[in-house]
Amino acid sequence: MPLKTNTLYEKIADDIALQIKAEVYKGGEKLPSIRQLSRQRSVSVATVQKAYELLEDRRLVEPRPKSGFYVRAIDRKSPSQKVDLLGLPNQVQIHNMATDILYACEGEGITNLGTAYPSIEFLPIKQLQRIMRKLIQLEMKDLVVAHFSSGLRQLKHQICRRLAEAQCQVDEEEVIVTNGCQEALTLCLRAVSKPGDTIAIESPAFVGLLQAIESLGLKALEIPSDCVEGISLEALELALDQWQIAAVALVPAFNNPSGSDMPLDNKKHLVELLSQKGVPLIEDDLFGDLAHDGFRIPPAKAFDKNGLVLYCSSISKSVAPGFRVGWVCPGIYTAKIEGLKSFTNVSASSIAQASVAQFLSTGAYDRHIRHLRKEYANHLEWFQKNIELHFPLGTTISAPKGGYILWIELPMQCDTGKMFYDAIEKNVSFLPGKLFSTSSKFSHCLRINCSVSINDDISNAIVTLGQIAHRHT
Amino acid sequence: MPLKTNTLYEKIADDIALQIKAEVYKGGEKLPSIRQLSRQRSVSVATVQKAYELLEDRRLVEPRPKSGFYVRAIDRKSPSQKVDLLGLPNQVQIHNMATDILYACEGEGITNLGTAYPSIEFLPIKQLQRIMRKLIQLEMKDLVVAHFSSGLRQLKHQICRRLAEAQCQVDEEEVIVTNGCQEALTLCLRAVSKPGDTIAIESPAFVGLLQAIESLGLKALEIPSDCVEGISLEALELALDQWQIAAVALVPAFNNPSGSDMPLDNKKHLVELLSQKGVPLIEDDLFGDLAHDGFRIPPAKAFDKNGLVLYCSSISKSVAPGFRVGWVCPGIYTAKIEGLKSFTNVSASSIAQASVAQFLSTGAYDRHIRHLRKEYANHLEWFQKNIELHFPLGTTISAPKGGYILWIELPMQCDTGKMFYDAIEKNVSFLPGKLFSTSSKFSHCLRINCSVSINDDISNAIVTLGQIAHRHT
């Protein structure tokens, strides 16, 4: 991103920012004093003062009373994996570990920052109650009988309408309702691959995707990705040349766990690239509706001309995780996935489908989502600030522009897998980084779910995690 | 079964029954007149008359006015596949055909005797309405949030309680709630096998099982079975010696499609046999609760000492197919299936689970099932009679002691696959026999769903099917 320079103090600020980026000054180091800099640059003290204030606004530096300005030790913007060397396709073996950890997260008395379910306070209980009371009164028969179908017509209609608002045209015939997004992902993987095949994924990648890959006997090839723009398309292209890849499976919007948001141009380029190679893309857009600024970037599916994008999503992050309603729009794989779905479990629960269709059909969903976006932006801000306060120097935190998940990189010597059990002993949980990769390269990272009610328990949990992190540093 | 002989006329009746069984007199043939027989046997005319009446009660013979007694052309008792030679493990390739047929069955204006969903008149709409209204009022929060769990505790409890009533002790920890029985079957297959493995099944076998086997890249080995006692254990034992079999998957109780009901001794022997060989048994007990006489024979799972029986069932045939609530008790595979379930689709819909748990916990379920049993016995009787009236000579009909499905064997020259499309043209559907096997040996058979409201449409549908069958004979 080229720096736009307007005034003298902005120019000075940009120069210092570049030096920080180049690690001329490292996290926690003292910057030149205002007087020094004023002399070096032959500018007024006031100008330097303004430059530092700007850097403070940008959260790059922080003032310390009676001491001067320091490079912020904790960087929200770039807990980035550098685009490193491409690894090999790997067997995935995280299931047993993941199961133990996920169950521990939900244990009695645990302040759960691990599993990424939204907190009850963010779910539209009253509206759903109203909708369901009516459905049970008026349409009970239809809800109880079975339909040999790939989903309720009215729900498919709403899904297409919402996708059209995101500039993505999908026909109702292409929509298959699933038991949540996880099922959509599993069905897609089954449709495009056979055991032993390789799936290219982000690094870090969504733990549920890794588990699905493991359960189907597939291999995962992790493609270097960063926490801002997501997967490196250069690295992906290299991988596609080098390996036989059955499919690419990504979370382009507000990635879980990294928080990255793939720019529109990248999405377009990605779809073109895969189209040339004839490789299908499984797009997990679970958080797509939760952009904090309310701006819905079209999904990659919007650029799909050849039906090679299998688009997956659900309402589990915004409306009712317990309902298990998701969907997939699988392009040329529609017939295949319809079959796989029907003999996996016939169809999704009718009452859940009908309730969601009804909720999506009114303005209530839009109002609900608008509220959620603001709340999640505030929650992330609160967590970021508190983590900055309590975590060790050298910590970096993701800065997602949507969703409610934070990805935290601790100093390299921290082993968050070990920290996890210390945390559980103190009745706090998170997800350790090793769940998000086939390698150990994220073993100093952790994921935090910020969709929780902020209260003393949560404040204390962050303090506790900070203390544990300090001990492991 | 040894014949118990009490009186002279019973003895004569038994002798004639044996002759019919041995095909001394074939279906549709005239039997000796009363006078002839009275002379041959040196017994009174009245005694022979009583013998024939007894045979008439047993539905083996029928009187024709001014002509005498005839062997019933249509035999309800034994549309049996003889225990023929064991085939080879086969690829299953029925999916495309099955999908076309199942969708056609549910087409607009079709009198659907094909898909085996229960009719709305047999579902406890009012009770479920009451239960759900209450749940939504009082427990909505719990229904909307997600639980990383293998099922609601209260539902697991009810499942164990019901199993205990069938003399089958299962611990709550062993119960995993699924999205219907089909999902339970798929999870079990995934847990016990890998692509390319062979699964031993009944012949004919449940179409959904065949589809699951196909979708997982497994092979099916069909074991000779009959319509009374189900799978031949001798043939199965032979198959186990001859082939590497990953698992045996059966519907022992009120088999779909054949209607067979495996005797308790056979179940015991089956479990022992498989236990010796270390081969898991997938037991689909979907119709287990629907014995017409109300007597619940324990499932094979009741004899499971080594955790090798994976027991599957659901409420889709008796309470609410649209809810998609089933379960599996997978013995030593519990941890494995918990994992597969969680990364297939996390869990089943909470509202559906809670409603079913509530319904099972009261006497309402028992009353409902008592009612269903009687109704289904009556419905089967009605269908059997009407099929006998309208179908060609040489037709045999199954005589299931539970459930609501009939399996009909037409004269060998009938091709029910072709008949199906003639029927659809006349707005009637059924399932052709070829859906229930990897071979063509049931291409003269068809399956009829009797859980429908009996009315003129249904009467006409049977007449229509009879006419089509006559044309194809």
Side-chain angles (χ1 to χ4, degrees):
Chain A
M1 198 165 31
L3 295 165
K4 203 180 95 200
T5 309
N6 289 328
T7 63
L8 189 55
Y9 77 88
E10 281 176 332
K11 168 114 188 59
I12 293 169
D14 288 342
D15 287 349
I16 297 172
L18 272 175
Q19 288 171 327
I20 292 171
K21 206 162 182 181
E23 301 201 327
V24 174
Y25 300 104
K26 289 183 185 156
E29 271 186 34
K30 192 172 185 302
L31 289 159
S33 72
I34 292 180
R35 277 177 204 285
Q36 278 175 319
L37 213 53
S38 137
R39 273 201 302 274
Q40 276 173 21
R41 294 276 187 147
S42 308
V43 295
S44 72
V45 166
T47 300
V48 175
Q49 179 77 34
K50 276 182 89 174
Y52 272 134
E53 280 166 8
L54 184 61
L55 287 168
E56 208 187 324
D57 287 348
R58 288 188 195 159
R59 308 188 66 83
L60 284 169
V61 310
E62 56 185 358
R64 296 198 187 160
K66 300 188 186 164
S67 174
F69 286 89
Y70 286 74
V71 179
R72 282 182 74 90
I74 294 178
D75 178 5
R76 287 196 194 173
K77 303 295 166 192
S78 55
S80 65
Q81 187 197 356
K82 285 91 199 162
V83 176
D84 56 12
L85 287 175
L86 208 52
L88 300 174
N90 271 331
Q91 299 287 348
V92 185
Q93 286 177 321
I94 60 159
H95 162 54
N96 292 334
M97 183 169 72
T99 305
D100 288 351
I101 287 173
L102 293 171
Y103 272 107
C105 282
E106 299 209 338
E108 190 79 22
I110 300 285
T111 300
N112 180 9
L113 302 175
T115 51
Y117 296 126
S119 162
I120 186 77
E121 73 172 275
F122 299 118
L123 301 176
I125 306 295
K126 282 206 179 343
Q127 293 99 312
L128 289 175
Q129 260 175 329
R130 229 178 352 251
I131 286 169
M132 291 176 87
R133 262 200 297 265
K134 232 180 190 168
L135 282 171
I136 286 166
Q137 192 61 33
L138 302 175
E139 294 175 39
M140 191 64 185
K141 285 190 181 179
D142 240 22
L143 303 177
V144 168
V145 295
H147 304 274
F148 181 76
S149 94
S150 56
L152 288 192
R153 181 63 49 191
Q154 59 267 40
L155 178 55
K156 292 184 177 193
H157 178 71
Q158 290 305 322
I159 291 164
C160 291
R161 192 168 77 86
R162 297 282 165 188
L163 276 170
E165 284 170 11
Q167 296 166 59
C168 181
Q169 300 300 331
V170 169
D171 197 80
E172 285 177 30
E173 297 303 313
E174 196 189 327
V175 182
I176 295 164
V177 179
T178 59
N179 292 85
C181 194
Q182 181 71 29
E183 181 173 294
L185 292 178
T186 306
L187 291 173
C188 289
L189 288 171
R190 289 177 67 191
V192 302
S193 69
K194 55 184 192 314
D197 280 357
T198 294
I199 309 295
I201 58 174
E202 286 140 332
S203 182
F206 169 49
V207 55
L209 175 63
L210 284 168
Q211 286 178 292
I213 287 173
E214 176 176 354
S215 80
L216 296 170
L218 301 164
K219 286 180 190 156
L221 176 62
E222 289 181 48
I223 309 293
S225 315
D226 71 35
C227 292
V228 179
E229 301 200 342
I231 196 167
S232 156
L233 293 185
E234 295 73 23
L236 178 61
E237 196 162 357
L238 207 68
L240 288 164
D241 289 339
Q242 203 169 334
W243 302 101
Q244 183 76 30
I245 288 174
V248 178
L250 306 179
V251 188
F254 317 126
N255 183 275
N256 177 357
S258 82
S260 65
D261 189 35
M262 186 184 271
L264 196 62
D265 281 350
N266 284 22
K267 287 183 183 170
K268 196 174 168 194
H269 183 60
L270 169 70
V271 174
E272 283 166 2
L273 173 67
L274 294 182
S275 176
Q276 281 160 25
K277 309 266 182 189
V279 173
L281 169 66
I282 300 171
E283 179 178 31
D284 175 351
D285 194 39
L286 196 54
F287 290 97
D289 266 358
L290 293 177
H292 296 157
D293 62 5
F295 182 70
R296 178 76 160 96
I297 296 183
K301 179 75 177 171
F303 302 106
D304 185 25
K305 287 179 193 133
N306 306 320
L308 282 172
V309 181
L310 300 90
Y311 175 91
C312 305
S313 192
S314 91
I315 48 75
S316 295
K317 299 303 183 192
S318 53
V319 179
F323 282 16
R324 310 303 310 141
V325 173
W327 50 88
V328 52
C329 310
I332 57 171
Y333 297 93
T334 303
K336 195 162 183 187
I337 289 194
E338 252 176 23
L340 287 172
K341 167 66 185 166
S342 82
F343 41 70
T344 297
N345 53 27
V346 188
S347 57
S349 183
S350 300
I351 172 88
Q353 287 192 67
S355 307
V356 172
Q358 190 61 35
F359 187 59
L360 288 177
S361 73
T362 68
Y365 175 74
D366 298 286
R367 282 192 298 279
H368 172 66
I369 286 290
R370 268 201 299 277
H371 169 71
L372 275 193
R373 285 170 181 147
K374 274 187 216 154
E375 285 289 325
Y376 286 150
N378 293 340
H379 271 58
L380 284 188
E381 180 67 22
W382 184 93
F383 271 91
Q384 285 161 330
K385 274 192 183 153
N386 278 271
I387 290 166
E388 282 164 4
L389 266 175
H390 298 289
F391 275 48
L393 280 181
T395 297
T396 58
I397 315 172
S398 63
K401 290 178 276 178
Y404 53 72
I405 282 168
L406 286 182
W407 180 243
I408 299 163
E409 215 173 296
L410 296 176
M412 286 302 290
Q413 66 270 33
C414 290
D415 179 340
T416 53
K418 287 185 185 154
M419 276 176 57
F420 177 79
Y421 292 99
D422 289 1
I424 288 291
E425 268 196 15
K426 300 280 182 189
N427 291 323
V428 183
S429 75
F430 60 83
L431 291 196
K434 63 180 176 179
L435 291 188
F436 302 90
S437 174
T438 60
S439 77
S440 59
K441 65 183 163 189
F442 300 110
S443 61
H444 62 302
C445 298
L446 60 105
R447 192 192 80 175
I448 294 274
N449 171 26
C450 303
S451 180
V452 292
S453 307
I454 291 174
N455 54 28
D456 286 353
D457 278 354
I458 300 291
S459 294
N460 293 336
I462 296 294
V463 173
T464 302
L465 289 182
Q467 286 165 347
I468 294 169
H470 275 284
R471 273 212 308 281
H472 282 259
T473 303
Chain B
M1 198 164 34
L3 296 165
K4 201 179 98 199
T5 308
N6 290 326
T7 64
L8 190 57
Y9 77 87
E10 281 175 333
K11 168 115 188 57
I12 293 169
D14 288 343
D15 287 349
I16 297 172
L18 272 176
Q19 287 171 327
I20 292 172
K21 206 162 184 184
E23 301 200 327
V24 175
Y25 300 102
K26 291 183 185 156
E29 270 185 37
K30 191 171 185 304
L31 289 160
S33 73
I34 292 181
R35 277 177 203 287
Q36 277 176 318
L37 213 53
S38 135
R39 273 200 303 272
Q40 277 173 21
R41 294 276 187 148
S42 309
V43 295
S44 73
V45 165
T47 300
V48 176
Q49 178 77 34
K50 276 181 92 174
Y52 272 133
E53 280 166 9
L54 185 60
L55 288 168
E56 207 186 324
D57 286 349
R58 288 188 195 160
R59 307 189 67 81
L60 284 170
V61 309
E62 56 187 358
R64 295 196 188 162
K66 300 188 185 161
S67 173
F69 286 89
Y70 286 75
V71 179
R72 282 183 75 89
I74 295 179
D75 177 5
R76 287 195 194 173
K77 303 295 166 193
S78 55
S80 65
Q81 188 197 353
K82 283 92 199 161
V83 176
D84 55 13
L85 287 176
L86 208 53
L88 299 174
N90 271 331
Q91 298 288 348
V92 184
Q93 286 178 321
I94 61 158
H95 163 53
N96 292 333
M97 184 169 73
T99 305
D100 289 351
I101 287 173
L102 293 171
Y103 272 108
C105 282
E106 299 209 339
E108 190 79 22
I110 300 285
T111 300
N112 180 9
L113 302 175
T115 51
Y117 297 125
S119 162
I120 185 76
E121 72 171 276
F122 299 117
L123 302 176
I125 306 295
K126 283 206 179 342
Q127 293 99 312
L128 290 174
Q129 261 177 327
R130 229 178 353 251
I131 286 169
M132 292 176 86
R133 262 200 297 265
K134 232 180 190 171
L135 282 171
I136 286 166
Q137 193 61 33
L138 302 176
E139 293 176 40
M140 190 65 184
K141 285 189 180 179
D142 241 22
L143 303 177
V144 168
V145 295
H147 303 274
F148 182 75
S149 94
S150 56
L152 288 193
R153 181 62 48 191
Q154 61 266 40
L155 177 55
K156 292 183 177 194
H157 178 69
Q158 290 305 322
I159 291 164
C160 291
R161 193 168 76 86
R162 297 283 164 187
L163 276 169
E165 284 171 11
Q167 295 167 59
C168 182
Q169 300 300 329
V170 170
D171 197 81
E172 285 177 30
E173 298 302 314
E174 196 190 327
V175 182
I176 296 164
V177 179
T178 60
N179 292 85
C181 193
Q182 180 71 27
E183 182 172 296
L185 292 178
T186 307
L187 291 172
C188 289
L189 288 171
R190 288 176 67 192
V192 301
S193 69
K194 54 182 193 316
D197 280 357
T198 294
I199 309 296
I201 59 173
E202 285 140 332
S203 182
F206 169 49
V207 54
L209 176 63
L210 284 168
Q211 285 178 294
I213 288 174
E214 176 176 354
S215 79
L216 297 170
L218 301 165
K219 286 181 191 157
L221 176 62
E222 289 181 47
I223 309 292
S225 315
D226 70 35
C227 292
V228 179
E229 301 201 343
I231 196 166
S232 156
L233 293 184
E234 296 73 23
L236 178 62
E237 198 163 356
L238 207 69
L240 289 164
D241 289 339
Q242 201 168 334
W243 303 100
Q244 182 77 30
I245 288 173
V248 178
L250 306 179
V251 188
F254 316 127
N255 182 274
N256 176 356
S258 82
S260 65
D261 190 35
M262 187 184 271
L264 196 63
D265 281 350
N266 285 22
K267 288 182 182 170
K268 196 174 169 195
H269 183 60
L270 170 70
V271 174
E272 283 167 1
L273 173 67
L274 294 181
S275 176
Q276 281 161 23
K277 309 266 182 188
V279 173
L281 170 67
I282 301 171
E283 179 178 31
D284 174 352
D285 194 38
L286 196 53
F287 291 96
D289 266 358
L290 293 177
H292 296 157
D293 63 4
F295 182 69
R296 179 77 160 94
I297 297 184
K301 179 74 176 171
F303 301 106
D304 186 26
K305 287 178 192 134
N306 305 321
L308 281 172
V309 180
L310 301 89
Y311 174 91
C312 305
S313 193
S314 90
I315 48 76
S316 294
K317 299 303 182 191
S318 54
V319 179
F323 283 16
R324 310 301 312 139
V325 173
W327 50 87
V328 51
C329 311
I332 57 172
Y333 298 93
T334 303
K336 195 162 184 188
I337 289 194
E338 252 176 24
L340 287 172
K341 167 67 185 167
S342 82
F343 40 69
T344 296
N345 52 27
V346 188
S347 57
S349 184
S350 300
I351 171 89
Q353 287 191 69
S355 306
V356 172
Q358 190 62 36
F359 187 58
L360 288 177
S361 73
T362 69
Y365 175 74
D366 298 287
R367 281 192 299 279
H368 171 65
I369 286 289
R370 267 202 299 278
H371 169 71
L372 275 193
R373 284 170 182 148
K374 273 186 217 153
E375 285 289 325
Y376 287 149
N378 293 340
H379 270 58
L380 284 187
E381 179 68 22
W382 185 93
F383 270 91
Q384 284 161 331
K385 273 192 184 154
N386 278 270
I387 290 166
E388 281 164 3
L389 267 176
H390 297 290
F391 276 47
L393 280 183
T395 298
T396 57
I397 315 172
S398 64
K401 290 177 277 177
Y404 53 72
I405 282 170
L406 286 182
W407 180 244
I408 298 163
E409 216 174 297
L410 296 176
M412 286 301 290
Q413 66 269 34
C414 290
D415 179 340
T416 54
K418 286 184 185 154
M419 275 176 58
F420 178 79
Y421 290 99
D422 289 0
I424 288 291
E425 267 194 18
K426 301 279 183 190
N427 291 323
V428 184
S429 75
F430 61 84
L431 291 197
K434 64 181 177 180
L435 291 187
F436 301 90
S437 174
T438 60
S439 77
S440 60
K441 66 182 162 189
F442 301 111
S443 60
H444 61 302
C445 299
L446 59 105
R447 192 191 81 176
I448 294 274
N449 170 25
C450 304
S451 180
V452 292
S453 306
I454 291 174
N455 54 28
D456 286 352
D457 278 353
I458 300 291
S459 294
N460 294 337
I462 296 295
V463 173
T464 303
L465 288 183
Q467 286 164 347
I468 293 169
H470 274 285
R471 273 211 308 282
H472 282 258
T473 302

